[in-house]
Amino acid sequence: MADTPRISAHSIPPPEATERMRAQAVASYEANHEDVHRVLLLYSGGLDTSVMLKWIQDEYEAEVVTLTVNLGQPGEDYHVVEEKAKRLGAVETYVVDAREEFALEFIAPAIRANAIYGLAYPLFTALGRPLIAKLAVEYARKSGCDTIAHGCTGKGNDQVRIEATVATLAPELKLIAPVRSWAMGRDEEIAYAREHGIPVKGGVESAPYSIDDNLWGRSSEGKWIEDLSHAPEDDVFQLVTRPEEAPDEPEIVTLDFDRGVPVALNGEQLGLVELLERTAELGMKHGVGIVDHIEDRIVGLKVRDIYEVPAAAIILPAHAELEKLVGTIHQNQFKPQLDRQWAYLVYAGLWWEPLRSNLDAYMDSVNEWVTGRIGLKLYKGSARVVTRESPHAVYDAQLATFAESGGLFSQQASPGFIELWSLQSRMAWRLRNE
Ligand code: ARG
């Protein structure tokens, strides 16, 4: 477009030019203004995506179809979200309950891979994004959209996860990320919302935390959390009871695993979605799963997050313990390296990368034997493994004599083993100390 001012990285436009500036596509999958006619918007019902719903209609003269994905966000009323989308002019609205698929196809593999990033983050957001984006592709195709829009900023990992998914699965679709391009701050957004009859909770002063949550956890960013020397304020914890206020009596819970996936809680067989919800409730009650984390984002920045992960903080240690019990020393030495690679790929937005399927094949193979029961004691913020049972445990308390061990082990053989095992170390010691 001839009348659209362009800027290069070296020239800073005058303020009037910024006002009229339209984002130019940088990547091949990004939409130019003239490509956008019918947009599938990933709609949460919050301020950003509500403003976006109106803004896309105005800015592009495009129709907007909304998709809201239920991944088990606690306390969300999807009927209200859908009504709001209709009121703001969406031509079609969809709400998809994807909890089952999320649990079975995303969280279960993460459990088998003991998936933790940066020693602390169980990846709930990172696991949810590829599914949300996959559904966006499905519904964009179904409803005849040419473009997908999301509410991620230009600073985070979520844009990477969503856009990498769309570009991989649907090269024919274009993408817009209005928050990255519209140059509205929070005050302008609120003014825009007021002008267009979009309800604003609180006000300019009461900027909320930036929240993302699903079945596997909840994150809070923003406000004082960005001040690294600021200890967590109580109001950030909306799920987990603060440990100092948790019950004075500990509680024992058991988790049964079948091939690496939890199938029963306290002996009661449950579908995975319900098992995750019920385990989370127990963790919440006992103050389990609070994480205060500095994280290396893929886009270079570091960020501090407050996570509440009551289900993951119980299930992941239980799984790891059972896996360790049924694995050999060699498997147990090796697997954490691949676990880490799995977590990093998923964190980094490459869910669809073939290496992840390769790694999953390995995870499945190890987990074929991860069946049994783990008991944990929950008490004022901690979840500690206290009992283990498995028919496949590579463990035998009786392995004392040759006969008792069925010919597998003899204490008489130990000195010979030690002599050879320490051979190189002894030689080196002698050489260096001569
Ligand atoms: N830091 C986490 C991640 O990158 C959580 C991001 C939460 N997203 C959000 N929009 N608040 O996965």
Side-chain angles (χ1 to χ4, degrees), residues 144-162:
C145 292
D146 45 52
T147 303
I148 288 174
H150 62 70
C152 307
T153 71
K155 297 203 292 189
N157 296 317
D158 291 330
Q159 54 174 344
V160 182
R161 297 163 182 154
I162 288 179

Side-chain angles (χ1 to χ4, degrees), residues 69-380:
V69 182
N70 174 359
L71 296 184
Q73 299 87 312
E76 192 67 86
D77 185 336
Y78 294 97
H79 183 70
V80 169
V81 173
E82 193 166 20
E83 286 309 308
K84 190 168 175 186
K86 288 191 176 124
R87 221 172 43 245
L88 296 174
V91 293
E92 288 174 41
T93 58
Y94 297 95
V95 173
V96 177
D97 182 352
R99 284 178 297 172
E100 192 83 8
E101 185 176 3
F102 184 46
L104 296 175
E105 306 298 329
F106 293 79
I107 298 176
I111 295 170
R112 287 192 290 261
N114 301 307
I116 289 277
Y117 175 71
L119 305 177
Y121 170 44
L123 296 172
F124 52 89
T125 297
L127 291 162
R129 296 309 183 200
L131 173 54
I132 290 172
K134 185 193 88 163
L135 291 167
V137 165
E138 236 170 85
Y139 280 80
R141 284 177 173 159
K142 194 155 107 178
S143 59
C145 292
D146 45 52
T147 303
I148 288 174
H150 62 70
C152 307
T153 71
K155 297 203 292 189
N157 296 317
D158 291 330
Q159 54 174 344
V160 182
R161 297 163 182 154
I162 288 179
E163 295 179 21
T165 297
V166 171
T168 302
L169 302 184
E172 84 282 9
L173 290 174
K174 295 287 178 188
L175 211 135
I176 55 174
V179 177
R180 234 167 24 199
S181 59
W182 67 21
M184 280 193 270
R186 194 178 153 78
D187 297 358
E188 286 103 324
E189 255 190 80
I190 288 174
Y192 186 99
R194 295 235 159 91
E195 212 175 292
H196 292 83
I198 300 164
V200 180
K201 281 186 226 135
V204 184
E205 321 73 41
S206 65
Y209 298 107
S210 163
I211 303 297
D212 188 61
D213 56 1
N214 61 43
L215 276 177
W216 200 224
R218 167 187 160 98
S219 78
S220 305
E221 296 176 358
K223 293 173 69 172
W224 55 262
I225 299 171
E226 291 172 3
D227 175 357
L228 303 188
S229 64
H230 197 120
E233 286 181 22
D234 293 348
D235 74 342
V236 75
F237 301 113
Q238 295 292 317
L239 292 180
V240 178
T241 309
R242 289 179 305 123
E244 55 270 37
E245 286 174 356
D248 291 330
E249 285 306 306
E251 183 168 352
I252 304 281
V253 298
T254 65
L255 281 170
D256 292 2
F257 288 83
D258 179 21
R259 281 160 290 174
V261 179
V263 291
L265 176 66
N266 291 330
E268 184 185 352
Q269 299 275 334
L270 295 169
L272 189 52
V273 170
E274 200 183 345
L275 186 142
L276 295 173
E277 286 170 349
R278 299 257 296 266
T279 306
E281 278 165 25
L282 290 169
M284 278 152 58
K285 174 174 155 198
H286 287 282
V288 171
I290 291 176
V291 177
D292 182 337
H293 191 221
I294 290 288
E295 192 167 289
D296 287 303
R297 282 183 180 161
I298 344 161
V299 292
L301 304 169
K302 282 191 202 290
V303 64
R304 179 189 186 196
D305 277 87
I306 305 287
Y307 295 131
E308 293 169 86
V309 289
I314 296 172
I315 291 170
L316 290 175
H319 174 269
E321 184 77 6
L322 187 58
E323 193 180 77
K324 202 162 68 177
L325 186 64
V326 306
T328 66
I329 182 173
H330 308 292
Q331 292 178 299
N332 291 341
Q333 285 291 311
F334 183 69
K335 188 165 181 286
Q337 300 172 46
L338 295 200
D339 288 349
R340 219 179 110 196
Q341 189 66 37
W342 194 99
Y344 180 60
L345 266 186
V346 171
Y347 182 79
L350 299 181
W351 179 263
W352 311 97
E353 155 65 42
L355 176 58
R356 209 248 323 147
S357 317
N358 301 155
L359 293 174
D360 272 338
Y362 170 79
M363 303 299 168
D364 289 352
S365 162
V366 172
N367 275 277
E368 213 163 302
W369 303 97
V370 183
T371 294
R373 172 175 288 184
I374 295 292
L376 304 100
K377 184 184 274 192
L378 311 184
Y379 179 64
K380 290 195 184 288

Side-chain angles (χ1 to χ4, degrees), residues 11-63:
S11 67
I12 292 160
E16 343 56 272
T18 318
E19 297 282 319
R20 293 180 292 115
M21 187 176 67
R22 273 178 184 161
Q24 288 296 305
V26 173
S28 57
Y29 64 79
E30 281 187 294
N32 281 308
H33 204 267
E34 62 277 12
D35 302 328
V36 180
H37 304 289
R38 193 170 157 94
V39 178
L40 184 294
L41 169 65
L42 282 166
Y43 185 61
S44 71
L47 180 66
D48 285 343
T49 55
S50 294
V51 166
M52 209 170 287
L53 212 178
K54 271 282 177 214
W55 185 83
I56 292 168
Q57 297 171 71
D58 287 353
E59 174 74 13
Y60 294 94
E61 289 167 42
E63 294 178 332

